[in-house]
Each structure stands twice: as structure tokens, then as C-alpha cells.
Amino acid sequence: MALTKHPRTLLVIIAEAALEKQLVADIKRLGAHGYTVYDVRGEGSMGVREGAWEADRTIEMKVICEAAVADQIAEHVLQQYVPHFGVTMFFADVQVLRPHKF
């Protein structure tokens, strides 16, 4: 049986954990069908985020969706959150087997 692969875009958002609920609402409203969230730690231009206390927590949110939806979400995050919160985003091209899920 041959696999049929379908192109999609993976949008990864690394942000302060305080944004999680609002990001979830935003990505659903903007057309994504789902997401995955992880608690993460790291260091970057804004210093070390160890997650040792609630206000220092960071999340990584992964969203697989159509490219246009990923672009809309990223544009919204850039306008709404980046000026006020620590946020990093990146895209990757991925292939999925069940396109209706994404």
C-alpha cells in the first residue's frame, strides 16, 4: 500500500506560558484544527527561562495546518503579543497522512 502524503506547514510558537489560553483561542478562531503544547526551558536574547516559578514558565506550541492559516496565526501573534512578551516563532514544511485533520 502506497502512502499518500499531503503538504502542510508546522508553525512553532515559543512564548511565555501566561499566553497559552489566549493563543489557544486565537489559533482556533484563525482556522487551525488543533495544537500541541509543551512546557520548555531555555536561554536566548532575553536571558535564561528556567521555569522555576510560575511567571518564568515558557511553552512551545506546535500547530500543523494549511500555509495560509499558519501565516494568519503568525501575523496575529506578531502584532498582538511580540511587542509585549517574549515570543519566538518558526515555520517548517511537513507532510501529513490524514489531511482532514490539519
Side-chain angles (χ1 to χ4, degrees):
M1 177 176 164
L3 294 177
T4 302
K5 301 174 188 174
H6 304 270
R8 292 294 183 270
T9 297
L10 168 65
L11 171 60
V12 178
I13 304 168
I14 302 169
E16 296 176 34
L19 296 178
E20 182 176 347
K21 287 182 181 179
Q22 190 58 47
L23 286 171
V24 167
D26 292 342
I27 67 163
K28 288 180 177 180
R29 179 178 49 80
L30 293 169
H33 297 180
Y35 61 91
T36 301
V37 175
Y38 304 90
D39 287 311
V40 296
R41 294 174 302 285
E43 181 175 356
S45 63
M46 299 186 80
V48 176
R49 293 191 58 90
E50 296 176 339
W53 52 294
E54 190 64 27
D56 191 40
R57 289 183 48 242
T58 303
I59 59 164
E60 178 178 289
M61 177 177 281
K62 294 183 177 182
V63 182
I64 299 173
C65 54
E66 297 280 351
V69 173
D71 288 349
Q72 270 191 305
I73 294 168
E75 188 172 314
H76 175 76
V77 171
L78 281 172
Q79 292 174 1
Q80 193 71 25
Y81 304 114
V82 168
H84 310 287
F85 296 93
V87 177
T88 298
M89 290 186 288
F90 60 91
F91 299 90
D93 293 328
V94 296
Q95 296 180 343
V96 300
L97 299 176
R98 299 181 293 165
H100 62 281
K101 291 182 55 88
F102 307 97

